Amino acid sequence: MPERYVLVRWPDGVAQRIYSPSTVVEDFFSAGQRIPVGEFVATSRKALTEASERVRQTYGFPCGNAARSLALVEARAAAQPSGDVFVEGIES
């Protein structure tokens, strides 16, 4: 599968590289986007769930790395009281 990484910067300035097993994240995020933390988590959940489902359809099992990516996003978001997440880019 064509994996992608979403490069983001959290409101506190910390950068994060989020793994996706599928290009589907390009349907949800684009470089230069600013998204409130709560909305970013919800959108990440949708994007990574869909990416994992594509893996399941192809290989018969969901993507554990997508689940880990989502867990890391949720943990990072829990430390952010407010603000916007900045999508710096998407890379392969």
Side-chain angles (χ1 to χ4, degrees), residues 25-87:
V25 293
E26 295 173 349
D27 295 339
F28 293 88
F29 302 111
S30 58
Q33 219 176 352
R34 287 194 180 278
I35 310 168
V37 171
E39 183 180 332
F40 179 76
V41 172
T43 302
S44 294
R45 189 172 294 115
K46 289 177 192 171
L48 292 170
T49 298
E50 188 171 325
S52 183
E53 178 60 18
R54 287 184 180 193
V55 170
R56 190 193 66 70
Q57 289 172 356
T58 302
Y59 299 106
F61 52 86
C63 180
N65 287 331
R68 277 188 286 283
S69 289
L70 180 56
L72 291 170
V73 165
E74 291 172 336
R76 190 79 197 111
Q80 306 296 309
S82 63
D84 291 342
V85 176
F86 179 66
V87 179

